[in-house]
Amino acid sequence: GGARMGFGPYLVDTGLQEVRRADTSVELTQREYDLVCYFLNSAGRVVSREELMEKVWGYDYFGDLRTVDTHIKRIRQKLPQEGVPWALKTVYGVGYKFEVR
């Protein structure tokens, strides 16, 4: 089973742990997938890099906050935002905001 959440042309299937566009699965790493799910559940609010590190990577992960930026960049490349009713925005000095219009 698992839940299905949609945003724009994308469908997130939590049972299969994948993101689909039409009938095509988008190749995401586990971490990228976890980030997409976290953003979906936090839609509309600003999420700091620290929060993402803590919730997605875990308390025991001591990495560079730029790791978060790198993953966001890859998600944006894999899930293009042109002409779709959602956006993963950078909030300068704070973090990111996932918006569904």
Side-chain angles (χ1 to χ4, degrees), residues 20-97:
R20 303 179 71 79
R21 180 170 190 159
D23 286 331
T24 313
S25 181
V26 180
E27 290 286 319
L28 294 175
T29 65
Q30 184 64 47
R31 195 76 79 192
E32 289 162 357
Y33 170 81
D34 291 343
L35 273 169
V36 169
C37 288
Y38 194 79
F39 276 118
L40 268 174
N41 290 320
S42 312
R45 75 180 176 86
V46 178
V47 181
S48 70
R49 291 175 177 82
E50 289 81 3
E51 180 181 336
L52 289 168
M53 270 278 166
E54 187 182 296
K55 306 286 192 209
V56 178
W57 273 260
Y59 291 102
D60 53 352
Y61 182 85
F62 294 103
D64 196 313
L65 287 177
R66 279 175 304 205
T67 303
V68 176
D69 301 334
T70 305
H71 278 73
I72 301 289
K73 199 165 124 188
R74 286 209 296 262
I75 289 170
R76 284 177 173 150
Q77 286 167 350
K78 293 176 179 186
L79 304 175
Q81 298 172 89
E82 292 79 46
V84 295
W86 67 280
L88 187 46
K89 296 186 171 172
T90 301
V91 181
Y92 290 99
V94 189
Y96 297 97
K97 186 179 181 184

